[in-house]
Amino acid sequence: MTTFLRDTATVFTREITPAVREPVGLLFDMGQPLLFLFLFGSLLDGAVGSSWQWFVPGILVMMCLSGPMAAGYTLLVDLIGGSMERMLVTPMNRTAMLVGRTMKAMVILLAQAVLIIVLALPLGFQLHPAGVLAGLAMLVALGIGLGALSFVLAIKSAPDGTLFYIVTQVLLFPLLLLSGVLLPIDAGPGWLRVIGHLNPITYIVDAQRALFAGDLTAPSVLYGTAATLVVAVVGLVLGNRAMRQGV
């Protein structure tokens, strides 16, 4: 266990150091969420009840999808450049490589989520501390699963990375749009609502909105938690297997 923790810390430090040294890149990554928050959120004022309570959780889920799903890009770069091969000849634990990289994505996600919440407060967003903490915990678990799945995709896409780029671009926006992140899908046609209900992200978005509204006992929280745990467990199992066998 001591060796595993040491290796995890080593990988985490290696991954987080470039981001800490160049924080401008992290702010640049938040450009789209911030634009949606300030411009799109204002357009929804009055259309969906308390627009900021409805929209801020959606923005956070959007960030959770785009950030961790792109986390595999750094692994893909290491695979193509050969640095990953040099790491694999060391006695470093391969599971620690997965966990360390995932932790880096989660720290960045939490920092960005806190910034979004702080910026939304002057706009009318009401802070419910218990619900926000529970919502952030759910986002972390979701991000862990998505990040691990992203690493699996990167490993399977090496050495050219074509599969990684195609899947992340093709899947990301349908998952977002069909989950009601930006617009409610309840008023959409029947076929759209059916597809939305088949999308696990839909249940997570609904759970986030309930939690950020302070309703910790809403049924949607249970469904969202279940969907999050499934994504996290599947991602970790497949990611750990890929790191051990597929690299």
Side-chain angles (χ1 to χ4, degrees):
M1 179 59 68
T2 301
T3 301
F4 172 78
L5 294 176
R6 185 186 66 241
D7 291 346
T8 300
T10 300
V11 175
F12 172 76
T13 302
R14 176 182 181 272
E15 295 297 318
I16 198 68
T17 298
V20 173
R21 290 178 177 174
E22 297 183 5
V24 176
L26 300 180
L27 295 177
F28 180 79
D29 291 339
M30 293 186 64
Q32 187 181 60
L34 288 175
L35 284 176
F36 278 120
L37 179 68
F38 289 111
L39 300 182
F40 204 90
S42 299
L43 294 175
L44 291 175
D45 191 19
V48 289
S50 180
S51 62
W52 298 112
Q53 300 299 126
W54 188 91
F55 195 63
V56 170
I59 289 294
L60 296 182
V61 174
M62 182 177 72
M63 291 171 55
C64 189
L65 280 174
S66 60
M69 280 296 287
Y73 175 75
T74 59
L75 177 59
L76 184 61
V77 170
D78 287 345
L79 289 169
I80 296 175
S83 61
M84 192 65 185
E85 294 182 0
R86 293 191 290 271
M87 291 183 64
L88 291 175
V89 299
T90 68
M92 184 174 291
N93 186 288
R94 292 195 177 188
T95 303
M97 294 181 187
L98 172 68
V99 175
R101 288 174 178 271
T102 306
M103 285 178 57
K104 176 251 187 178
M106 291 307 96
V107 169
I108 292 176
L109 174 64
L110 279 176
Q112 293 175 334
V114 170
L115 179 59
I116 288 289
I117 293 172
V118 170
L119 293 176
L121 289 174
L123 301 176
F125 175 74
Q126 297 180 1
L127 185 65
H128 299 276
V132 168
L133 290 176
L136 291 178
M138 183 182 295
L139 288 178
V140 168
L142 176 64
I144 289 174
L146 292 176
L149 290 173
S150 178
F151 296 143
V152 174
L153 185 59
I155 292 171
K156 299 300 182 182
S157 301
D160 59 1
T162 302
L163 179 63
F164 180 85
Y165 301 126
I166 292 176
V167 173
T168 53
Q169 293 301 317
V170 170
L171 285 182
L172 181 60
F173 288 104
L175 282 174
L176 285 173
L177 295 176
L178 294 175
S179 65
V181 165
L182 300 178
L183 290 170
I185 62 174
D186 294 338
W191 63 267
L192 186 63
R193 295 196 300 271
V194 170
I195 296 176
H197 287 305
L198 295 176
N199 181 5
I201 306 300
T202 300
Y203 301 97
I204 297 172
V205 172
D206 292 341
Q208 288 291 307
R209 286 175 175 147
L211 289 173
F212 275 71
D215 188 1
L216 278 70
T217 60
S220 59
V221 174
L222 178 61
Y223 300 142
T225 301
T228 299
L229 291 177
V230 169
V231 173
V233 171
V234 171
L236 287 175
V237 170
L238 295 181
N240 186 48
R241 181 182 302 172
M243 277 289 190
R244 290 179 174 273
Q245 300 177 358
V247 178

